[in-house]
Amino acid sequence: MKGHLKSLRRRLVWGVTLTTCLMWGSVAAWQFTSMQREMRSMLDERLIASAKMVAAIVEQIHPDPTLPIAPAKTEAMNSLIARDGVECEVSLVRSEVDVLPIARTGNAPDLNAQVESGFGSATKGGKPWRTYVLQHNGMRVVTADRMDVREHLVASMLRALVLPFVLTLAGIVLMTWWIYTRSLRPLESLRRELSARPPHDPSPVRSGQDVAEISPLVQSLNALLARINASVERERRWTANAAHELRTPLTGIKTHVQVAQLAMNGEPGAPKTDIAIEALHNANTGVQHLQSTLEQLLQLARVESAVESGGSATMRSSADDIVQAFQHACEQSAARARTERVDSQASVEQHIEPDADDPRWARLSIPLAPALLVSAITNLTDNALLHQHSNTAVQATLALVRHEQRDWLEVRIRDHGPGMATDEIELSTQRFWRKGNAAHGSGLGLTIVQHIAEIAGGELLMRPEEPGLTAILRLPSEPSAH
């Protein structure tokens, strides 16, 4: 549902915002602590400077502290010490107990209690003060600041730091949202193009190909569309060819059944009975041909699905699997040929090169499932038996060969039939292709073998003989893991 969709833009904006807050907040906290310490130190320095300045002024106005001070000089000192903005009190110290205040600002607290030089504290009206005492030439100068005023200055500094941070952060969020919105426009263009695309349009997607981050996605999408289009076209051709190939035997079956019905509906007699029997026999032959075609169509569909998905790439056949598959396929094809053609003396002569007990077989494996290997050999052997015109046995050879500096497993099936010309060999692996006007076979056997060879990274070769033809299934062999 749309309400549960995750927003990439929102994630990016919040990620940048959180990162900015963390980084800038850490820097601001460090700066605030440092500046707070420096501000307090600066205010303390101000108290010291004010005390020294007042002491110098008082010394100029009344150089001898032992003499009484005139009232005019007292008023002058009160006026001068109040100009600095720091509360101050000036006293003459004749002894530890004889302290005579001579000048004082109006808001200064009672500072007589502090006799030690340096920094201290005092209280006036329930408010704390920060004080500094300077003893100089029989004179005591005390300067003071209210602590709440000092903390107000520190808080003002904090606001001066926080306000720009908040405003800048808001600007960053807005600018980031705007930038990401513009940056994600290629994705929106891609969405619009795909939404407006007709269902059967095979043309490549163009939006986003000029954006480095989106281009790989668009290329993968175009590759997927190309594969889908190729698959659809292949299935369309497959359906058309299958419909044509199935229509022919169905039409023949229907015709033979109608002939048998006409023969049985007429006057009884031996000739019409023979006609009906022959028609039903031909119809049965057509049914067998139709069944064989359907089986091979289903087998072809499974093999092509394995080719597209690579589903058999992880399956392997060991040496024992290979030998058993070879023997089983040859025996199965010969038995089926004898069953389907009663007058047939079909046989398959098997050869294994080198012998099965050779140690090279023990180290062999091929990247193909045993069931697919049986299927491939069966189709080659069935094809050879179908076109075998003499009583000579079909030659089936399972061999290890060295080709192009690599070990290969070869299955060679030799028949003694009419063979094929070079141009016919090029067409032989196409679906539903049959030599001349041959009525037998579905034209799918070699196509199935070709696809199985592709699964294992092998090849299917045809070699003309005199007479006949040798079909060679060549598969790459690899050392066994055991």
Side-chain angles (χ1 to χ4, degrees):
M1 295 177 62
K2 188 174 182 180
H4 298 320
L5 294 179
K6 297 179 180 178
S7 173
L8 179 61
R9 176 171 51 191
R10 190 176 296 111
R11 281 188 173 187
L12 292 173
V13 172
W14 282 117
V16 171
T17 302
L18 181 60
T19 302
T20 304
C21 289
L22 290 176
M23 297 299 294
W24 203 347
S26 300
V27 173
W30 172 76
Q31 286 185 342
F32 173 71
T33 303
S34 177
M35 291 181 67
Q36 187 181 42
R37 185 171 55 252
E38 291 179 2
M39 177 70 76
R40 287 170 178 166
S41 177
M42 182 184 67
L43 293 173
D44 286 345
E45 292 291 337
R46 178 169 171 256
L47 291 178
I48 296 174
S50 296
K52 290 181 178 179
M53 182 187 69
V54 169
I57 293 173
V58 171
E59 189 174 10
Q60 290 179 0
I61 296 175
H62 187 66
D64 189 356
T66 60
L67 298 176
I69 185 168
K73 291 182 178 181
T74 301
E75 292 180 2
M77 284 189 291
N78 286 333
S79 176
L80 289 173
I81 66 176
R83 294 178 180 178
D84 194 31
V86 176
E87 303 301 329
C88 182
E89 181 183 86
V90 181
S91 303
L92 297 178
V93 181
R94 292 187 173 90
S95 66
E96 293 184 0
V97 295
D98 188 7
V99 179
L100 178 62
I102 60 175
R104 181 180 182 182
T105 57
N107 294 325
D110 183 9
L111 302 174
N112 288 328
Q114 182 174 349
V115 296
E116 297 291 336
S117 297
F119 291 101
S121 61
T123 303
K124 179 183 179 181
K127 295 182 179 180
W129 290 69
R130 174 77 164 168
T131 62
Y132 177 74
V133 176
L134 174 65
Q135 303 276 0
H136 177 67
N137 194 20
M139 178 175 45
R140 176 190 296 171
V141 180
V142 183
T143 54
D145 274 335
R146 279 173 49 179
M147 291 299 296
D148 59 339
V149 175
R150 292 166 66 102
E151 295 302 322
H152 177 72
L153 291 174
V154 175
S156 298
M157 181 191 68
L158 177 61
R159 286 193 296 271
L161 287 175
V162 171
L163 183 60
F165 170 76
V166 173
L167 295 177
T168 304
L169 180 61
I172 289 175
V173 172
L174 293 176
M175 287 298 297
T176 304
W177 185 275
W178 180 76
I179 291 172
Y180 284 157
T181 299
R182 291 186 61 86
S183 300
L184 294 175
R185 281 184 179 179
L187 285 177
E188 178 63 21
S189 299
L190 178 61
R191 184 198 66 78
R192 287 197 300 266
E193 181 178 348
L194 292 176
S195 298
R197 192 182 188 87
H200 303 294
D201 185 2
S203 61
V205 176
R206 301 187 180 277
S207 298
Q209 292 189 357
D210 56 344
V211 181
E213 290 78 10
I214 303 178
S215 180
L217 172 64
V218 175
Q219 292 175 3
S220 300
L221 180 60
N222 286 334
L224 174 62
L225 290 175
R227 291 195 300 271
I228 292 176
N229 182 63
S231 177
V232 170
E233 289 297 325
R234 182 169 58 251
E235 295 306 319
R236 185 180 291 115
R237 292 192 302 270
W238 186 90
T239 303
N241 293 334
H244 173 74
E245 291 297 322
L246 294 177
R247 186 184 302 114
T248 301
L250 284 174
T251 302
I253 293 171
K254 180 180 178 180
T255 301
H256 292 310
V257 171
Q258 290 175 343
V259 170
Q261 287 177 335
L262 291 174
M264 297 301 293
N265 290 335
E267 293 292 332
K272 291 188 176 182
T273 301
D274 293 341
I275 294 174
I277 292 175
E278 183 179 0
L280 291 175
H281 174 75
N282 292 334
N284 182 60
T285 302
V287 169
Q288 292 178 353
H289 175 65
L290 180 61
Q291 180 182 5
S292 175
T293 301
L294 287 173
E295 289 176 353
Q296 289 201 306
L297 282 172
L298 294 174
Q299 188 179 26
L300 178 61
R302 289 193 294 268
V303 171
E304 287 184 340
S305 176
V307 171
E308 293 179 357
S309 63
S312 185
T314 58
M315 300 293 293
R316 310 193 67 81
S317 295
S318 64
D320 291 340
D321 296 330
I322 295 169
V323 173
Q324 291 176 7
F326 174 73
Q327 295 173 344
H328 176 68
C330 293
E331 294 169 359
Q332 179 178 267
S333 294
R336 181 166 48 248
R338 288 191 293 269
T339 301
E340 294 178 354
R341 300 187 293 276
V342 180
D343 57 343
S344 173
Q345 300 297 322
S347 62
V348 179
E349 188 174 313
Q350 302 177 29
H351 304 276
I352 299 179
E353 301 175 358
D355 293 338
D357 56 356
D358 190 284
R360 284 178 291 176
W361 285 104
R363 300 189 299 268
L364 176 71
S365 69
I366 59 173
L368 190 68
L372 290 179
L373 181 60
V374 171
S375 176
I377 300 175
T378 299
N379 277 285
L380 291 178
T381 311
D382 286 347
N383 197 61
L385 290 170
L386 183 65
H387 295 91
Q388 184 81 337
H389 288 173
S390 65
N391 291 329
T392 306
V394 169
Q395 302 296 314
T397 304
L398 181 66
L400 286 176
V401 298
R402 187 78 176 173
H403 179 67
E404 295 180 351
Q405 299 182 347
R406 185 174 181 180
D407 292 329
W408 297 81
L409 176 72
E410 281 191 357
V411 178
R412 299 191 289 265
I413 307 297
R414 162 75 192 280
D415 65 58
H416 300 80
M420 286 191 290
T422 303
D423 56 339
E424 293 175 331
I425 290 176
E426 294 178 355
L427 300 173
S428 61
T429 55
Q430 294 183 5
R431 296 177 181 177
F432 304 110
W433 183 88
R434 290 190 289 268
K435 178 179 174 65
N437 295 321
H440 299 290
S442 62
L444 294 172
L446 294 181
T447 306
I448 294 172
V449 178
Q450 175 71 25
H451 285 314
I452 293 176
E454 292 175 358
I455 292 176
E459 58 184 346
L460 174 64
L461 305 174
M462 302 293 178
R463 186 174 66 200
E465 305 285 355
E466 290 294 337
L469 181 77
T470 297
I472 304 173
L473 174 61
R474 182 177 292 166
L475 303 173
S477 65
E478 300 175 357
S480 176
H482 301 288

